PDB file of all heavy atoms in Angstrom:
ATOM      1  N   LEU A 355    -116.086  72.595 169.044  1.00 98.00           N
ATOM      2  CA  LEU A 355    -115.461  71.289 168.811  1.00 98.00           C
ATOM      3  C   LEU A 355    -115.993  70.273 169.818  1.00 98.00           C
ATOM      4  O   LEU A 355    -116.324  69.147 169.461  1.00 98.00           O
ATOM      5  CB  LEU A 355    -113.938  71.400 168.905  1.00 98.00           C
ATOM      6  CG  LEU A 355    -113.175  70.111 168.674  1.00 98.00           C
ATOM      7  CD1 LEU A 355    -113.458  69.534 167.279  1.00 98.00           C
ATOM      8  CD2 LEU A 355    -111.672  70.309 168.869  1.00 98.00           C
ATOM      9  N   ASN A 356    -116.136  70.691 171.070  1.00 98.00           N
ATOM     10  CA  ASN A 356    -116.665  69.759 172.098  1.00 98.00           C
ATOM     11  C   ASN A 356    -118.081  69.306 171.738  1.00 98.00           C
ATOM     12  O   ASN A 356    -118.407  68.125 171.843  1.00 98.00           O
ATOM     13  CB  ASN A 356    -116.636  70.432 173.474  1.00 98.00           C
ATOM     14  CG  ASN A 356    -115.203  70.619 173.934  1.00 98.00           C
ATOM     15  OD1 ASN A 356    -114.301  69.919 173.441  1.00 98.00           O
ATOM     16  ND2 ASN A 356    -114.966  71.589 174.804  1.00 98.00           N
ATOM     17  N   ARG A 357    -118.906  70.244 171.268  1.00 98.00           N
ATOM     18  CA  ARG A 357    -120.277  69.859 170.899  1.00 98.00           C
ATOM     19  C   ARG A 357    -120.268  68.921 169.695  1.00 98.00           C
ATOM     20  O   ARG A 357    -121.023  67.948 169.640  1.00 98.00           O
ATOM     21  CB  ARG A 357    -121.111  71.107 170.585  1.00 98.00           C
ATOM     22  CG  ARG A 357    -121.753  71.724 171.807  1.00 98.00           C
ATOM     23  CD  ARG A 357    -122.778  72.762 171.420  1.00 98.00           C
ATOM     24  NE  ARG A 357    -122.145  74.033 171.042  1.00 98.00           N
ATOM     25  CZ  ARG A 357    -122.695  74.920 170.205  1.00 98.00           C
ATOM     26  NH1 ARG A 357    -123.887  74.645 169.647  1.00 98.00           N
ATOM     27  NH2 ARG A 357    -122.074  76.062 169.931  1.00 98.00           N
ATOM     28  N   LEU A 358    -119.352  69.186 168.759  1.00 98.00           N
ATOM     29  CA  LEU A 358    -119.246  68.344 167.559  1.00 98.00           C
ATOM     30  C   LEU A 358    -118.849  66.928 167.965  1.00 98.00           C
ATOM     31  O   LEU A 358    -119.423  65.938 167.512  1.00 98.00           O
ATOM     32  CB  LEU A 358    -118.206  68.930 166.619  1.00 98.00           C
ATOM     33  CG  LEU A 358    -118.017  68.284 165.269  1.00 98.00           C
ATOM     34  CD1 LEU A 358    -119.165  68.635 164.340  1.00 98.00           C
ATOM     35  CD2 LEU A 358    -116.694  68.704 164.631  1.00 98.00           C
ATOM     36  N   ILE A 359    -117.865  66.820 168.860  1.00 98.00           N
ATOM     37  CA  ILE A 359    -117.369  65.505 169.318  1.00 98.00           C
ATOM     38  C   ILE A 359    -118.486  64.749 170.035  1.00 98.00           C
ATOM     39  O   ILE A 359    -118.709  63.566 169.785  1.00 98.00           O
ATOM     40  CB  ILE A 359    -116.136  65.693 170.209  1.00 98.00           C
ATOM     41  CG1 ILE A 359    -114.954  66.196 169.368  1.00 98.00           C
ATOM     42  CG2 ILE A 359    -115.783  64.390 170.941  1.00 98.00           C
ATOM     43  CD1 ILE A 359    -113.736  66.598 170.180  1.00 98.00           C
ATOM     44  N   GLU A 360    -119.207  65.474 170.906  1.00 98.00           N
ATOM     45  CA  GLU A 360    -120.330  64.844 171.627  1.00 98.00           C
ATOM     46  C   GLU A 360    -121.341  64.271 170.633  1.00 98.00           C
ATOM     47  O   GLU A 360    -121.777  63.137 170.735  1.00 98.00           O
ATOM     48  CB  GLU A 360    -121.041  65.890 172.490  1.00 98.00           C
ATOM     49  CG  GLU A 360    -120.651  65.964 173.958  1.00 98.00           C
ATOM     50  CD  GLU A 360    -120.070  64.643 174.447  1.00 98.00           C
ATOM     51  OE1 GLU A 360    -120.833  63.667 174.639  1.00 98.00           O
ATOM     52  OE2 GLU A 360    -118.819  64.587 174.541  1.00 98.00           O
ATOM     53  N   ASN A 361    -121.667  65.083 169.648  1.00 98.00           N
ATOM     54  CA  ASN A 361    -122.662  64.668 168.649  1.00 98.00           C
ATOM     55  C   ASN A 361    -122.165  63.433 167.889  1.00 98.00           C
ATOM     56  O   ASN A 361    -122.911  62.469 167.697  1.00 98.00           O
ATOM     57  CB  ASN A 361    -122.875  65.834 167.676  1.00 98.00           C
ATOM     58  CG  ASN A 361    -123.920  65.511 166.622  1.00 98.00           C
ATOM     59  OD1 ASN A 361    -125.112  65.538 166.867  1.00 98.00           O
ATOM     60  ND2 ASN A 361    -123.455  65.169 165.430  1.00 98.00           N
ATOM     61  N   GLN A 362    -120.876  63.460 167.498  1.00 97.00           N
ATOM     62  CA  GLN A 362    -120.355  62.317 166.721  1.00 97.00           C
ATOM     63  C   GLN A 362    -120.267  61.059 167.580  1.00 97.00           C
ATOM     64  O   GLN A 362    -120.540  59.956 167.115  1.00 97.00           O
ATOM     65  CB  GLN A 362    -118.968  62.662 166.166  1.00 97.00           C
ATOM     66  CG  GLN A 362    -118.389  61.598 165.263  1.00 97.00           C
ATOM     67  CD  GLN A 362    -119.260  61.309 164.050  1.00 97.00           C
ATOM     68  OE1 GLN A 362    -119.678  62.202 163.322  1.00 97.00           O
ATOM     69  NE2 GLN A 362    -119.568  60.023 163.843  1.00 97.00           N
ATOM     70  N   ARG A 363    -119.912  61.267 168.862  1.00 95.00           N
ATOM     71  CA  ARG A 363    -119.836  60.087 169.762  1.00 95.00           C
ATOM     72  C   ARG A 363    -121.187  59.366 169.786  1.00 95.00           C
ATOM     73  O   ARG A 363    -121.259  58.143 169.679  1.00 95.00           O
ATOM     74  CB  ARG A 363    -119.498  60.562 171.189  1.00 95.00           C
ATOM     75  CG  ARG A 363    -118.065  60.451 171.521  1.00 95.00           C
ATOM     76  CD  ARG A 363    -117.709  60.202 172.978  1.00 95.00           C
ATOM     77  NE  ARG A 363    -116.324  60.643 173.132  1.00 95.00           N
ATOM     78  CZ  ARG A 363    -115.974  61.774 173.760  1.00 95.00           C
ATOM     79  NH1 ARG A 363    -116.898  62.525 174.342  1.00 95.00           N
ATOM     80  NH2 ARG A 363    -114.700  62.120 173.858  1.00 95.00           N
ATOM     81  N   ALA A 364    -122.258  60.135 169.877  1.00 96.00           N
ATOM     82  CA  ALA A 364    -123.595  59.523 169.915  1.00 96.00           C
ATOM     83  C   ALA A 364    -123.898  58.791 168.605  1.00 96.00           C
ATOM     84  O   ALA A 364    -124.389  57.658 168.611  1.00 96.00           O
ATOM     85  CB  ALA A 364    -124.632  60.613 170.183  1.00 96.00           C
ATOM     86  N   LEU A 365    -123.534  59.400 167.477  1.00 96.00           N
ATOM     87  CA  LEU A 365    -123.781  58.775 166.161  1.00 96.00           C
ATOM     88  C   LEU A 365    -122.999  57.457 166.048  1.00 96.00           C
ATOM     89  O   LEU A 365    -123.530  56.424 165.625  1.00 96.00           O
ATOM     90  CB  LEU A 365    -123.311  59.717 165.049  1.00 96.00           C
ATOM     91  CG  LEU A 365    -124.235  60.803 164.541  1.00 96.00           C
ATOM     92  CD1 LEU A 365    -123.535  61.631 163.459  1.00 96.00           C
ATOM     93  CD2 LEU A 365    -125.532  60.208 164.003  1.00 96.00           C
ATOM     94  N   THR A 366    -121.720  57.538 166.446  1.00 95.00           N
ATOM     95  CA  THR A 366    -120.854  56.356 166.347  1.00 95.00           C
ATOM     96  C   THR A 366    -121.388  55.213 167.219  1.00 95.00           C
ATOM     97  O   THR A 366    -121.474  54.073 166.787  1.00 95.00           O
ATOM     98  CB  THR A 366    -119.420  56.727 166.775  1.00 95.00           C
ATOM     99  OG1 THR A 366    -118.952  57.772 165.919  1.00 95.00           O
ATOM    100  CG2 THR A 366    -118.471  55.546 166.691  1.00 95.00           C
ATOM    101  N   LYS A 367    -121.793  55.580 168.447  1.00 93.00           N
ATOM    102  CA  LYS A 367    -122.292  54.558 169.385  1.00 93.00           C
ATOM    103  C   LYS A 367    -123.560  53.921 168.817  1.00 93.00           C
ATOM    104  O   LYS A 367    -123.694  52.695 168.788  1.00 93.00           O
ATOM    105  CB  LYS A 367    -122.603  55.205 170.731  1.00 93.00           C
ATOM    106  CG  LYS A 367    -122.930  54.204 171.819  1.00 93.00           C
ATOM    107  CD  LYS A 367    -122.176  54.510 173.081  1.00 93.00           C
ATOM    108  CE  LYS A 367    -122.132  53.297 173.951  1.00 93.00           C
ATOM    109  NZ  LYS A 367    -122.735  53.425 175.211  1.00 93.00           N
ATOM    110  N   GLU A 368    -124.481  54.769 168.319  1.00 94.00           N
ATOM    111  CA  GLU A 368    -125.733  54.280 167.742  1.00 94.00           C
ATOM    112  C   GLU A 368    -125.428  53.285 166.611  1.00 94.00           C
ATOM    113  O   GLU A 368    -125.972  52.180 166.562  1.00 94.00           O
ATOM    114  CB  GLU A 368    -126.530  55.478 167.229  1.00 94.00           C
ATOM    115  CG  GLU A 368    -127.892  55.173 166.609  1.00 94.00           C
ATOM    116  CD  GLU A 368    -128.353  56.357 165.732  1.00 94.00           C
ATOM    117  OE1 GLU A 368    -127.938  57.514 166.009  1.00 94.00           O
ATOM    118  OE2 GLU A 368    -129.075  56.100 164.745  1.00 94.00           O
ATOM    119  N   HIS A 369    -124.494  53.656 165.733  1.00 95.00           N
ATOM    120  CA  HIS A 369    -124.150  52.783 164.600  1.00 95.00           C
ATOM    121  C   HIS A 369    -123.569  51.474 165.092  1.00 95.00           C
ATOM    122  O   HIS A 369    -123.948  50.385 164.666  1.00 95.00           O
ATOM    123  CB  HIS A 369    -123.145  53.492 163.685  1.00 95.00           C
ATOM    124  CG  HIS A 369    -122.533  52.586 162.668  1.00 95.00           C
ATOM    125  ND1 HIS A 369    -123.195  52.181 161.534  1.00 95.00           N
ATOM    126  CD2 HIS A 369    -121.332  51.950 162.637  1.00 95.00           C
ATOM    127  CE1 HIS A 369    -122.428  51.346 160.841  1.00 95.00           C
ATOM    128  NE2 HIS A 369    -121.290  51.188 161.490  1.00 95.00           N
ATOM    129  N   LYS A 370    -122.641  51.563 166.068  1.00 94.00           N
ATOM    130  CA  LYS A 370    -121.954  50.348 166.533  1.00 94.00           C
ATOM    131  C   LYS A 370    -122.921  49.413 167.245  1.00 94.00           C
ATOM    132  O   LYS A 370    -122.883  48.202 167.041  1.00 94.00           O
ATOM    133  CB  LYS A 370    -120.774  50.737 167.427  1.00 94.00           C
ATOM    134  CG  LYS A 370    -119.636  51.375 166.637  1.00 94.00           C
ATOM    135  CD  LYS A 370    -118.323  51.436 167.363  1.00 94.00           C
ATOM    136  CE  LYS A 370    -117.230  51.829 166.370  1.00 94.00           C
ATOM    137  NZ  LYS A 370    -115.907  51.923 166.937  1.00 94.00           N
ATOM    138  N   LEU A 371    -123.808  49.976 168.054  1.00 92.00           N
ATOM    139  CA  LEU A 371    -124.755  49.108 168.767  1.00 92.00           C
ATOM    140  C   LEU A 371    -125.675  48.405 167.777  1.00 92.00           C
ATOM    141  O   LEU A 371    -125.995  47.230 167.930  1.00 92.00           O
ATOM    142  CB  LEU A 371    -125.548  49.937 169.783  1.00 92.00           C
ATOM    143  CG  LEU A 371    -124.742  50.419 170.984  1.00 92.00           C
ATOM    144  CD1 LEU A 371    -125.584  51.297 171.888  1.00 92.00           C
ATOM    145  CD2 LEU A 371    -124.165  49.216 171.753  1.00 92.00           C
ATOM    146  N   LYS A 372    -126.032  49.111 166.701  1.00 92.00           N
ATOM    147  CA  LYS A 372    -126.900  48.505 165.677  1.00 92.00           C
ATOM    148  C   LYS A 372    -126.139  47.367 164.964  1.00 92.00           C
ATOM    149  O   LYS A 372    -126.720  46.385 164.540  1.00 92.00           O
ATOM    150  CB  LYS A 372    -127.283  49.583 164.641  1.00 92.00           C
ATOM    151  CG  LYS A 372    -128.801  49.852 164.604  1.00 92.00           C
ATOM    152  CD  LYS A 372    -129.243  50.631 163.394  1.00 92.00           C
ATOM    153  CE  LYS A 372    -128.977  52.135 163.626  1.00 92.00           C
ATOM    154  NZ  LYS A 372    -129.004  52.916 162.371  1.00 92.00           N
ATOM    155  N   ARG A 373    -124.816  47.510 164.890  1.00 94.00           N
ATOM    156  CA  ARG A 373    -123.990  46.521 164.163  1.00 94.00           C
ATOM    157  C   ARG A 373    -123.812  45.229 164.943  1.00 94.00           C
ATOM    158  O   ARG A 373    -123.534  44.186 164.365  1.00 94.00           O
ATOM    159  CB  ARG A 373    -122.581  47.078 163.920  1.00 94.00           C
ATOM    160  CG  ARG A 373    -122.294  47.898 162.690  1.00 94.00           C
ATOM    161  CD  ARG A 373    -122.399  47.164 161.413  1.00 94.00           C
ATOM    162  NE  ARG A 373    -121.097  46.780 160.831  1.00 94.00           N
ATOM    163  CZ  ARG A 373    -120.982  45.856 159.895  1.00 94.00           C
ATOM    164  NH1 ARG A 373    -122.043  45.220 159.457  1.00 94.00           N
ATOM    165  NH2 ARG A 373    -119.803  45.552 159.419  1.00 94.00           N
ATOM    166  N   CYS A 374    -123.891  45.345 166.287  1.00 91.00           N
ATOM    167  CA  CYS A 374    -123.664  44.137 167.087  1.00 91.00           C
ATOM    168  C   CYS A 374    -124.690  43.078 166.700  1.00 91.00           C
ATOM    169  O   CYS A 374    -125.812  43.410 166.400  1.00 91.00           O
ATOM    170  CB  CYS A 374    -123.713  44.481 168.562  1.00 91.00           C
ATOM    171  SG  CYS A 374    -122.301  45.498 169.023  1.00 91.00           S
TER     172      CYS A 374
END
Side-chain angles (χ1 to χ4, degrees):
L355 180 60
N356 292 339
R357 273 192 281 154
L358 185 74
I359 291 172
E360 263 336 286
N361 182 77
Q362 185 59 50
R363 263 210 201 106
L365 275 179
T366 301
K367 189 133 199 241
E368 181 199 332
H369 168 77
K370 289 196 169 180
L371 290 177
K372 243 194 279 163
R373 272 294 258 163
C374 291

